Amino acid sequence: MSDFFVQKLRHGASLSEDDERALRALCMNVDKFDPQNDVTMEGDKPKSIKLVLEGWACRYKLLENGKRQIISLFLPGDMCEPYMTLPQFMDHSLGTLTPVTVARVSPEVIKAVARERPQIEKALWWDLLLAMAMGRESIVTLGRRSASERLGHLFCELHVRLDKVGLVDGLGYEMPLTQSNLGDLLGMSTVHVNRSLQELRAAGLVTMHGRRVTILNLEGLRSTSLFDPTYLQSYTQA
Amino acid sequence: MSDFFVQKLRHGASLSEDDERALRALCMNVDKFDPQNDVTMEGDKPKSIKLVLEGWACRYKLLENGKRQIISLFLPGDMCEPYMTLPQFMDHSLGTLTPVTVARVSPEVIKAVARERPQIEKALWWDLLLAMAMGRESIVTLGRRSASERLGHLFCELHVRLDKVGLVDGLGYEMPLTQSNLGDLLGMSTVHVNRSLQELRAAGLVTMHGRRVTILNLEGLRSTSLFDPTYLQSYTQA
DNA sequence: AAAATAACATAACATATGTTAAAGCCGTAT
DNA sequence: ATACGGCTTTAACATATGTTATGTTATTTT
């Protein structure tokens, strides 16, 4: 039973049994997608909010010169859009990185649930504000961090995010991104991703075998990557 | 009478006279700041939402290595935080770039107004979603655009944003950022800002004299900068 | 007017990152 | 088993951007 969505939102507000049932009831319309597929394309007029139940997806944009930038990652439990208002048309695309299960939720239904259940409204706002904080940190990363700092920072962020939905075991986690994906996400070339990954490995901070990331020295990785988890916590209630 | 806030929100929802009065009534508590000052510092526990009535401000973060990244610009009429929830503590700072007039608005008051006046709630959401769209575009800019593309893209975006609040005349607008500010905003060194500015000038696209930007060739600037204004419009209702 | 300050401009040089290409690796399908 | 395709790794080289330093210009202060 994939319950990542509820598991995530518990961090944003304390939910009753009824709240959790109401959240699960939102996830009735489910679609499955293969890797590297578009869930929603730029220009589409979306009719539903997308919710990633399982697998990894992303928000991305293609430039006219052919370059691609991944704007944000969606991990299991992540919502792709704020619950209140859908755009007239998408200014970006949503695509899968692995096999993905998506729930399509009608904005009217989710708005009604939020109106009736204050804790759910609170949790949805928390989710939105957290996504915004992560977006701000991405700007800092892309503007002012070096290539290996970017990679290290990403691994630290994923460690925190995946831990919130129970997908970290011991020192590591499954990380299904290719080096080309990492390049599109961190604004660098595939070759340089490879080089920088080797730097981190040589420094004894992280290793990647296959799809698995193992953090060998969390404190070291955090400090060399200038990772300060504050931005992931500043909206979390005491 | 500086009315930029109302003028901006009109683009997000059609507001009645009463709506506009209610918005103006929010702007009672006003502070003035000198240039290069902090309105709110990282770590602060904010008690009010900040609204830039006049002047230019920004959201920024300082890294441990001393580097600074400006995350977003606030132009006259811009709100610095979403109306619904304030953070437990700031994960970034808000600072002025010019002399700035700020209104401090209590979240309870603004929430109450939004609840009673659906068009205001709609406009506030529109404002938030627009800010998010601009944040996404910043990620694309920092990740995948060259230095001169970044500058050109910024000038195009400012042209659209300032036009919405009546601050564009003819071909240009007042742009009070120093080259060092531009570097912090676009993730590049001051020297390289200067170089890239000269490229744009040499290409006959833009000039800067003093604090004034003049766009000589809007179509040319937009296409060389890969500027597509879609992201500024996708939440605007028909 | 002189001095102080901030911003802008230019140059020479260092370095991080991009580009292209080829080789090795590994899982999957035939 | 073989071949194929995607991913990773490595190398050599090109280039964009950063760094440091100094000069220039404008603006304010005294």
Side-chain angles (χ1 to χ4, degrees):
Chain A
M1 171 98 321
S2 68
D3 209 33
F4 298 115
F5 181 46
V6 173
Q7 204 175 336
K8 184 185 181 197
L9 288 192
R10 278 191 200 125
H11 294 276
S14 87
L15 304 173
S16 69
E17 273 300 317
D18 281 354
D19 290 331
E20 299 198 355
R21 250 189 299 280
L23 285 175
R24 288 194 191 89
L26 292 173
C27 306
M28 296 292 87
N29 289 319
V30 170
D31 287 328
K32 303 218 176 230
F33 292 86
D34 286 332
Q36 316 291 12
N37 270 58
D38 280 337
V39 174
T40 310
M41 287 178 63
E42 186 166 337
D44 283 3
K45 162 87 185 100
K47 307 162 305 306
S48 61
I49 289 165
K50 270 67 176 180
L51 218 149
V52 175
L53 299 180
E54 293 175 303
W56 289 38
C58 67
R59 185 195 311 285
Y60 72 91
K61 231 161 166 168
L62 252 22
L63 292 184
E64 285 156 27
N65 59 16
K67 292 179 179 171
R68 177 197 207 215
Q69 177 68 38
I70 294 181
I71 296 167
S72 53
L73 286 179
F74 300 118
L75 311 183
D78 283 339
M79 270 177 46
C80 299
E81 304 290 349
Y83 73 96
M84 192 57 157
T85 314
L86 283 170
Q88 293 291 108
F89 45 88
M90 296 290 284
D91 70 331
H92 60 264
S93 303
L94 304 178
T96 62
L97 298 163
T98 67
V100 165
T101 310
V102 173
R104 285 180 288 108
V105 186
S106 131
E108 286 69 35
V109 170
I110 199 167
K111 264 189 277 190
V113 170
R115 212 177 308 116
E116 284 167 27
R117 304 188 162 275
Q119 288 307 101
I120 288 187
E121 184 181 33
K122 187 174 166 188
L124 292 173
W125 267 98
W126 167 84
D127 187 65
L128 173 59
L129 295 166
L130 179 60
M132 291 178 70
M134 293 192 296
R136 292 193 294 266
E137 194 67 24
S138 289
I139 290 175
V140 175
T141 290
L142 292 169
R144 292 304 193 195
R145 275 186 252 260
S146 72
S148 53
E149 288 166 357
R150 292 182 202 189
L151 276 164
H153 192 277
L154 173 67
F155 292 146
C156 290
E157 179 177 305
L158 289 175
H159 184 250
V160 174
R161 290 176 65 182
L162 290 169
D163 191 45
K164 286 213 178 99
V165 286
L167 290 172
V168 171
D169 60 280
L171 306 146
Y173 47 83
E174 295 295 307
M175 207 285 298
L177 306 183
T178 65
Q179 296 186 359
S180 158
N181 291 332
L182 290 170
D184 286 345
L185 178 62
L186 299 175
M188 53 207 258
S189 68
T190 308
V191 173
H192 203 57
V193 169
N194 189 289
R195 281 195 280 248
S196 309
L197 237 24
Q198 293 181 48
E199 275 182 45
L200 294 178
R201 198 185 323 144
L205 299 170
V206 194
T207 58
M208 283 180 59
H209 303 103
R211 325 232 74 83
R212 189 175 177 76
V213 167
T214 307
I215 298 183
L216 303 172
N217 176 355
L218 182 58
E219 276 320 304
L221 185 64
R222 288 186 165 194
S223 65
T224 48
S225 310
L226 309 172
F227 178 81
D228 174 349
T230 299
Y231 72 101
L232 296 170
Q233 301 158 355
S234 59
Y235 287 95
T236 297
Q237 301 291 324
Chain B
M1 171 98 320
S2 68
D3 211 34
F4 298 114
F5 181 46
V6 173
Q7 204 175 336
K8 184 184 181 196
L9 289 192
R10 277 192 202 124
H11 295 275
S14 85
L15 303 173
S16 69
E17 274 300 318
D18 281 354
D19 289 332
E20 299 199 354
R21 250 189 299 280
L23 285 175
R24 288 193 191 92
L26 292 173
C27 306
M28 295 291 88
N29 290 318
V30 170
D31 288 328
K32 302 217 176 229
F33 291 87
D34 287 331
Q36 316 291 11
N37 270 56
D38 280 337
V39 174
T40 310
M41 288 178 61
E42 185 167 338
D44 282 3
K45 161 87 187 99
K47 305 161 307 305
S48 61
I49 288 164
K50 269 67 175 179
L51 217 150
V52 175
L53 299 181
E54 293 174 302
W56 289 39
C58 67
R59 187 196 307 284
Y60 73 90
K61 231 160 168 170
L62 253 20
L63 293 184
E64 284 156 27
N65 59 17
K67 291 179 180 171
R68 179 198 205 212
Q69 178 67 38
I70 294 180
I71 296 166
S72 53
L73 287 179
F74 300 118
L75 311 184
D78 283 340
M79 271 178 45
C80 300
E81 304 290 349
Y83 74 97
M84 193 55 158
T85 313
L86 284 170
Q88 293 292 106
F89 45 88
M90 297 288 286
D91 70 332
H92 60 264
S93 303
L94 305 178
T96 62
L97 298 163
T98 67
V100 165
T101 309
V102 173
R104 286 178 287 109
V105 186
S106 130
E108 285 70 34
V109 170
I110 200 168
K111 263 188 278 189
V113 171
R115 213 177 306 117
E116 284 166 29
R117 303 189 161 275
Q119 289 307 101
I120 289 188
E121 183 180 35
K122 187 174 166 189
L124 291 174
W125 268 97
W126 167 84
D127 187 65
L128 173 60
L129 295 166
L130 178 59
M132 290 177 71
M134 293 191 295
R136 292 193 294 265
E137 194 67 23
S138 289
I139 290 175
V140 175
T141 289
L142 292 169
R144 291 302 192 196
R145 276 187 251 261
S146 73
S148 52
E149 288 166 357
R150 291 181 203 189
L151 276 164
H153 192 277
L154 173 67
F155 292 145
C156 291
E157 179 177 306
L158 288 175
H159 184 250
V160 174
R161 289 175 67 182
L162 290 170
D163 192 45
K164 286 211 177 101
V165 287
L167 290 173
V168 171
D169 59 281
L171 306 145
Y173 47 83
E174 294 295 308
M175 206 285 298
L177 305 183
T178 65
Q179 296 185 358
S180 157
N181 291 331
L182 290 169
D184 286 346
L185 178 61
L186 300 175
M188 54 207 259
S189 69
T190 309
V191 173
H192 203 55
V193 168
N194 189 290
R195 280 195 282 248
S196 310
L197 237 23
Q198 294 181 45
E199 275 182 45
L200 293 179
R201 197 184 325 144
L205 298 170
V206 194
T207 58
M208 283 179 60
H209 304 102
R211 325 231 74 85
R212 188 174 178 77
V213 166
T214 308
I215 298 182
L216 303 173
N217 176 354
L218 183 58
E219 276 321 304
L221 186 64
R222 286 186 167 194
S223 65
T224 50
S225 309
L226 309 172
F227 178 81
D228 174 348
T230 299
Y231 72 101
L232 296 170
Q233 302 158 353
S234 59
Y235 286 95
T236 298
Q237 301 291 324

